[in-house]
Amino acid sequence: MNKLGTKTLKILLFIGVFSYLQYYDVKRGAFSVNSITGGLFAASAVYLIASLFGIVLSLTQNYLIAIVGTAALALFLAFKLDDLIASVSWLTEERMMYILGGFATLCFIRDIIIIKKTLSGASTTTTEEAQSTSEPNIDVNAGKPIKTIQEVCKENPKMMMELSKHLEKRNGHKPTYEELIEYIDNEAFHLLSDNQVEQETQAIIEQARNKARQQINGQ
């Protein structure tokens, strides 16, 4: 059992013992202010014994040893309390009960505060995790039109210059702006089919033959 479970169990024991004693006194018609005081003292004693059991269990990690050890320590401390009361002139059994009851009440309140903080922290963490998992991934580019490669090229002066040089080498003259735009839209970024590749190859071959014939005739 973890620390949160141990503290919760001690609180339930405290409330259970106190409630049972009050119910018992009311049922037999002996309920009074002393019943409340006595119930608090008895519940405080059970609470302190449960706390002692938790300490011994955390040290030994064995329930049987923890039960025997807690019983032995409780008896030992009870005898020591009697010796302490006898050795101190102003201390009486009633005052010792008030001291132990007050100490147990402070521990009881402290445990409630710790449990409340733990549960509040766990609830906050769970809420944050739920929000983080439920929030959809927002695309920062959502709603913006996707630019084509032709549009990107037209907006890039360097790419326009390179394509213009390429087109000039291919056609033998510097292209106009309209020719360059037409080349970008229809040719520059389009894959050629097999027929187009064959036609262009034949055109290049025919062009080379014509140049060769011209050179032969010129000689």
Side-chain angles (χ1 to χ4, degrees):
M1 185 179 294
N2 56 21
K3 291 184 178 180
L4 182 62
T6 302
K7 294 182 183 300
T8 304
L9 180 59
K10 290 191 297 181
I11 291 173
L12 292 177
L13 284 174
F14 183 94
I15 296 174
V17 171
F18 177 76
S19 300
Y20 174 77
L21 292 177
Q22 303 314 303
Y23 170 77
Y24 179 76
D25 286 340
V26 170
K27 187 175 180 180
R28 65 190 183 93
F31 181 77
S32 63
V33 177
N34 292 331
S35 298
I36 298 176
T37 305
L40 287 174
F41 288 153
S44 298
V46 172
Y47 185 86
L48 292 175
I49 292 174
S51 299
L52 181 61
F53 174 78
I55 294 172
V56 177
L57 180 61
S58 64
L59 294 175
T60 60
Q61 299 296 321
N62 187 295
Y63 281 94
L64 180 60
I65 296 176
I67 292 172
V68 175
T70 301
L73 285 173
L75 292 174
F76 175 77
L77 292 175
F79 285 118
K80 285 296 181 181
L81 286 177
D82 290 337
D83 295 338
L84 179 63
I85 293 172
S87 62
V88 180
S89 59
W90 59 269
L91 192 60
T92 62
E93 291 185 359
E94 185 177 357
R95 289 177 179 176
M96 179 58 69
M97 290 176 64
Y98 278 111
I99 293 172
L100 293 177
F103 176 72
T105 302
L106 291 176
C107 293
F108 177 82
I109 296 173
R110 177 176 173 273
D111 286 345
I112 291 178
I113 294 173
I114 292 174
I115 292 174
K116 183 179 179 181
K117 289 183 178 179
T118 303
L119 294 177
S120 298
S123 177
T124 302
T125 304
T126 304
T127 303
E128 291 176 353
E129 291 178 353
Q131 290 177 349
S132 63
T133 54
S134 62
E135 289 178 354
N137 294 326
I138 300 175
D139 187 0
V140 294
N141 295 320
K144 297 181 180 180
I146 300 175
K147 294 182 178 180
T148 63
I149 189 170
Q150 287 86 354
E151 291 174 337
V152 173
C153 180
K154 293 174 185 177
E155 294 175 359
N156 191 317
K158 186 175 180 180
M159 292 182 66
M160 292 285 285
M161 184 67 69
E162 293 295 329
L163 290 174
S164 177
K165 290 179 180 179
H166 171 72
L167 193 59
E168 183 178 358
K169 288 181 181 180
R170 193 186 75 170
N171 297 337
H173 68 275
K174 188 175 183 63
T176 63
Y177 180 77
E178 289 76 12
E179 291 175 337
L180 182 59
I181 294 299
E182 183 179 359
Y183 173 70
I184 292 172
D185 289 338
N186 302 320
E187 298 184 42
F189 302 102
H190 291 274
L191 295 176
L192 298 177
S193 64
D194 293 340
N195 291 332
Q196 289 175 326
V197 171
E198 185 177 355
Q199 290 175 3
E200 288 202 2
T201 302
Q202 293 295 333
I204 293 172
I205 293 173
E206 187 65 29
Q207 186 177 4
R209 287 176 180 176
N210 292 334
K211 287 184 178 180
R213 288 172 185 169
Q214 291 175 1
Q215 291 178 357
I216 292 173
N217 294 332
Q219 292 179 354

